[in-house]
Amino acid sequence: MSDSGTSRRRAGLRGLRGNPWAVMTTTCLGYFITILNSTSVSIAVPQIQAGLGASLSEVLWVVGGYVLALAALTVTAGRLGDVAGPRNVFLAGMAVFTVASALCGFAQSPWQLIGARLLQGVGAALIIPQTLTMMTLVIPQERRGRASAVWGVTAGLAGVAGPTLGGLLVTTAGWRSVFAVNLPVGVLIIILTLLLVPPAQSQRAARRLNAAGAALAGAGLGGITFGLLEGKEYGWGTVVSFVTVPMIIGAGVVLLGAFVLHQHRAREPLVPTRLFADRTFTVMTVSMAIVSMCVITLSLAMTLYLQSVLGMSAAHAGLTLAPWALGMTFGFPVTGRMVDRFGAERVLLGGMIVYATALATVGLLCRPGMSGVLLVVPLAVAGLSQSAAFGPITALAMRDVGPDLAGAASGVFNTIRQTGTLIGVSVLGTVLQARLDAATAAGAGFGAVFSDAVRLTLIGCAASVLLAALGGYLNGRRARAVSPEPVPRPDASRSPSA
């Protein structure tokens, strides 16, 4: 009986091999765990700071170092998937990510943890572009909108669920448990990938990775991200000798310009320039960067505010942020029905406006001594409206991307999204440090100054979201003006069961 049962289970798994929804479930699980690690670690920042004796700059590097590796390597990793096969690169990335998670858990100093987080970011950079690529390759064109929406909402749900899950883990088992939980999940994903995801047939005549392009992209993005992360530490001035933070950022911009020129002439480019002929892809990618910036800013700002100003435990802070995650979860199927009825562009515009309003409301409520109960409704609304942003943005961005450009498009989309996350970490750190320095000089109260910094950054995020909404509206209006036919409504933001 045991042998026959095992045989039936194996046969069942073989029957699922290559099934589009089995592939999507496996890849989304890998995507979820990598994005979760961007925000679940944020809730542990006070405990990491106390446990390892880390400075504010060092703990921000624990968060930002992971993002730096993602931003610098994702474009290259997307192209690597085209060359070596997305399944192979996904498996390699998951192995690196899992090992790095173990190293994070055993870290004994701030810089050991930062080094392990950088390695973890390398693994995540290998994983993330392949998820969207594998889904694009196995899911039929007519269902790709729904699949892209699931992928986008996976990112949003992971981002907002991180503080709640992280808070519970930190309170019950300490900050190292945030990394330890990745080990069994990573092993499970590797097994599922080997069993369920077949090697992809190459869609391109790619034979090699463009090494010069990879070097230019990595150095350019690395320079910009380093400058944004470390700028506040050096007062946006001299780093060493005559080298200043603006010089490092400027050099990164110049290198990216050289990268663009190189790609235009390259025979096997990392990023085919014709990708940006799709105006909708470009606009939606920038919109995703802005939304991602706001997600990490809200997560990190509220985590620090709830624990440092209101004195909550990590678990209490995580539960206070739970309405945000629940709003995202329940908003997903609602958004799908709204897209079917009103169209993705309209749902996206309305969702972005509501999201901006929710961000501003949360910011205005942040005061010393405030009751966390007052945050329940605006945080839930923020989650609901995020679901109306993530799904349609991803579906619209990838709507017209062919299989031959899937890897490049996924790499670019994720790189710009991670750059938005990095900007959120950098801006929040800069504003907090500047306000705290000013408070120390003036003798002002910590709680009032910290609350003021959080309020300022969240209102700034709200303004950015409104600008993104305007850009999306103008793009949709232009698309309708160019084509007399209605813009196709991707089956975006619907759940598989909807």
Side-chain angles (χ1 to χ4, degrees), residues 374-466:
L374 296 177
L375 294 170
V376 170
V377 173
L379 284 173
V381 172
L384 285 167
S385 53
Q386 264 182 216
S387 69
F390 273 110
I393 284 175
T394 307
L396 289 170
M398 300 298 290
R399 179 179 61 190
D400 300 320
V401 175
D404 62 320
L405 292 178
S410 180
V412 171
F413 189 76
N414 280 287
T415 293
I416 297 179
R417 183 178 65 79
Q418 293 300 336
T419 302
T421 301
L422 174 73
I423 291 172
V425 174
S426 177
V427 169
L428 177 62
T430 300
V431 173
L432 285 178
Q433 194 64 60
R435 293 283 172 161
L436 290 175
D437 291 344
T440 301
F446 170 82
V449 172
F450 200 99
S451 301
D452 182 57
V454 170
R455 184 162 55 253
L456 180 64
T457 52
L458 291 182
I459 290 176
C461 283
S464 300
V465 170
L466 289 177

Side-chain angles (χ1 to χ4, degrees), residues 10-36:
R10 289 176 178 173
L13 288 173
R14 284 195 296 270
L16 288 174
R17 186 175 177 83
N19 179 279
W21 297 109
V23 172
M24 188 186 74
T25 300
T26 302
T27 56
C28 280
L29 184 58
Y31 189 41
F32 183 89
I33 195 67
T34 57
I35 301 301
L36 187 73

Side-chain angles (χ1 to χ4, degrees), residues 9 98 134 239 322:
R9 285 193 294 271
T98 304
M134 288 191 288
V239 176

Side-chain angles (χ1 to χ4, degrees), residues 160 290-302 321 324 351-366 375 377-383 385-386 389 454-468:
V160 299
I290 291 174
V291 174
S292 297
M293 176 189 74
C294 297
V295 169
I296 192 64
T297 301
L298 181 60
S299 172
L300 190 53
M302 294 307 296
L321 294 174
W324 187 22
M352 296 283 263
I353 292 172
V354 175
Y355 185 44
T357 304
L359 286 171
T361 301
V362 172
L364 292 171
L365 286 173
C366 289
L375 294 170
V377 173
L379 284 173
V381 172
S385 53
Q386 264 182 216
V454 170
R455 184 162 55 253
L456 180 64
T457 52
L458 291 182
I459 290 176
C461 283
S464 300
V465 170
L466 289 177
L467 287 175

Side-chain angles (χ1 to χ4, degrees), residues 30-372:
Y31 189 41
F32 183 89
I33 195 67
T34 57
I35 301 301
L36 187 73
N37 271 255
S38 296
T39 53
S40 63
V41 174
S42 300
I43 198 79
V45 161
Q47 288 74 21
I48 293 173
Q49 190 170 12
L52 297 180
S55 65
L56 176 61
S57 176
E58 287 171 337
V59 292
L60 287 177
W61 260 101
V62 171
V63 178
Y66 181 79
V67 180
L68 187 151
L70 278 172
L73 298 175
T74 301
V75 166
T76 302
R79 177 60 172 159
L80 184 60
D82 287 336
V83 175
R87 178 179 180 266
N88 295 334
V89 178
F90 180 85
L91 284 168
M94 188 56 65
V96 171
F97 180 86
T98 304
V99 171
S101 297
L103 295 176
C104 288
F106 286 113
Q108 299 299 312
S109 71
W111 284 103
Q112 285 182 11
L113 180 57
I114 291 168
R117 283 284 282 173
L118 285 167
L119 182 61
Q120 195 182 38
V122 171
L126 293 172
I127 293 167
I128 289 176
Q130 318 316 322
T131 60
L132 194 55
T133 301
M134 288 191 288
M135 287 169 54
T136 302
L137 293 177
V138 302
I139 293 180
Q141 177 71 35
E142 64 273 12
R143 296 183 180 179
R144 196 177 295 170
R146 181 185 299 182
S148 296
V150 172
W151 184 90
V153 173
T154 297
L157 185 57
V160 299
T164 301
L165 297 177
L168 293 173
L169 286 170
V170 169
T171 300
T172 57
W175 65 265
R176 297 180 190 276
S177 64
V178 173
F179 302 106
V181 74
N182 294 332
L183 305 184
V185 176
V187 171
L188 173 63
I189 294 170
I190 290 172
I191 293 172
L192 289 176
T193 303
L194 291 170
L195 291 175
L196 301 179
V197 181
Q201 296 296 318
S202 176
Q203 299 292 323
R204 304 185 61 184
R207 292 292 181 268
R208 62 186 178 87
L209 183 67
N210 189 307
L216 286 171
L221 290 167
I224 292 171
T225 52
F226 177 85
L228 291 173
L229 273 177
E230 283 293 280
K232 60 189 176 299
E233 181 70 12
Y234 294 99
W236 300 99
T238 302
V239 176
V240 60
S241 184
F242 63 91
V243 179
T244 64
V245 171
M247 286 174 63
I248 293 173
I249 295 176
V253 173
V254 170
L255 287 170
L256 284 184
F259 168 74
V260 172
L261 290 175
H262 179 272
Q263 295 302 285
H264 185 66
R265 300 172 181 174
R267 183 172 298 178
E268 289 284 352
L270 284 172
V271 180
T273 52
R274 73 182 190 275
L275 183 63
F276 295 99
D278 184 348
R279 185 187 179 98
T280 298
F281 174 82
T282 303
V283 173
M284 290 301 106
T285 299
V286 174
S287 297
M288 179 60 87
I290 291 174
V291 174
S292 297
M293 176 189 74
C294 297
V295 169
I296 192 64
T297 301
L298 181 60
S299 172
L300 190 53
M302 294 307 296
T303 293
L304 294 170
Y305 167 77
L306 293 174
Q307 295 183 75
S308 301
V309 177
L310 299 188
M312 292 184 181
S313 66
H316 190 183
L319 290 173
T320 301
L321 294 174
W324 187 22
L326 292 174
M328 184 78 179
T329 303
F330 290 109
F332 181 27
V334 174
T335 299
R337 296 186 186 95
M338 292 176 66
V339 167
D340 285 342
R341 183 171 181 179
F342 302 110
E345 288 90 351
R346 291 182 179 180
V347 173
L348 177 59
L349 177 63
M352 296 283 263
I353 292 172
V354 175
Y355 185 44
T357 304
L359 286 171
T361 301
V362 172
L364 292 171
L365 286 173
C366 289
R367 310 277 180 180
M370 183 205 69
S371 171

